[in-house]
């Protein structure tokens, strides 16, 4: 007897051979190549449906549990919420909330005037980087130390930590075979 029989609900869909991440993708409705889900949580996660697979040491590629001839690409980053929390606290102050962090991001222009940042509070797993710290470079690839005279350093730092993660997800996802053109993006 199905679990829905006693309640009158339709029986659940069961995907054989799927783990927690493939089932999450199925539950979110990632159904077509190019569909992407981004989770900015304790660890940051990228998962996307792809019509081709390019396995690499960074990330994972699974056979799709919902469609033959499709794949699920997965990336997981160790430096998620702790990095954003530390950035918020260090640049906006101990009493800063997430609304203030969001406003700081909106004060810096998209692409952050060419400034890219990598903030590692823990050794990173995607890609594997043992060194921790804050690393910023400008459009000429020169090292930048935020707080040394930039106008609105808190906005620059906030945007750098978020945009940097999304750019990493995009580039590393493409290396796994994901072409997100025309797909949907779900973000949490």
């Amino acid at each position: 007897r199905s679990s829905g029989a006693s309640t009158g609900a339709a029986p659940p869909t069961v995907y054989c051979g799927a783990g927690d991440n493939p089932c999450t993708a199925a539950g979110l409705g990632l159904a077509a190549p190019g569909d992407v889900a981004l989770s900015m949580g304790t660890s940051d996660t990228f998962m996307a449906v792809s019509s081709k697979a390019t396995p690499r040491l960074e990330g994972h590629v699974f056979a799709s549990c919902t469609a033959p001839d499709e794949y699920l690409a997965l990336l997981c980053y160790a430096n998620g919420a702790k990095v954003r929390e530390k950035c918020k606290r260090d640049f906006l102050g101990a009493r800063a909330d997430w609304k203030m962090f969001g406003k700081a991001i909106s004060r810096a222009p998209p692409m952050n005037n060419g400034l890219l940042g990598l903030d590692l509070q823990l050794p990173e797993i995607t890609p594997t980087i043992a060194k921790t710290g804050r690393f910023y470079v400008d459009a000429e690839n020169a090292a930048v130390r935020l707080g040394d005279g930039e106008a609105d350093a808190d906005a620059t730092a906030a945007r750098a930590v978020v945009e940097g993660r999304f750019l990493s997800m995009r580039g590393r996802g493409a290396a796994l075979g994901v072409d997100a053109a025309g797909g949907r993006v779900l973000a949490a």
Side-chain angles (χ1 to χ4, degrees), residues 100-176:
M100 293 169 68
F101 188 78
K103 286 182 179 181
I105 290 172
S106 68
R107 287 196 312 269
M111 302 303 291
N112 220 6
N113 294 317
L115 188 126
L116 294 173
L118 178 63
D119 197 331
L120 303 172
Q121 300 305 310
L122 303 166
E124 186 54 80
I125 56 176
T126 305
T128 302
I129 302 173
K131 188 174 182 177
T132 60
R134 285 195 171 118
F135 310 94
Y136 298 98
V137 295
D138 63 17
E140 284 78 41
N141 205 30
V144 173
R145 181 182 157 141
L146 290 183
D148 286 347
E150 298 83 19
D152 212 359
D154 54 341
T156 301
R159 182 166 286 277
V161 77
V162 173
E163 276 188 356
R165 174 63 74 228
F166 286 138
L167 288 170
S168 177
M169 289 176 166
R170 180 179 181 185
R172 294 183 197 297
L176 291 173

Side-chain angles (χ1 to χ4, degrees), residues 8-35:
T13 302
V14 177
Y15 297 107
C16 297
D20 59 343
N21 289 304
C23 283
T24 297
L28 288 172
L30 300 183
D35 284 355

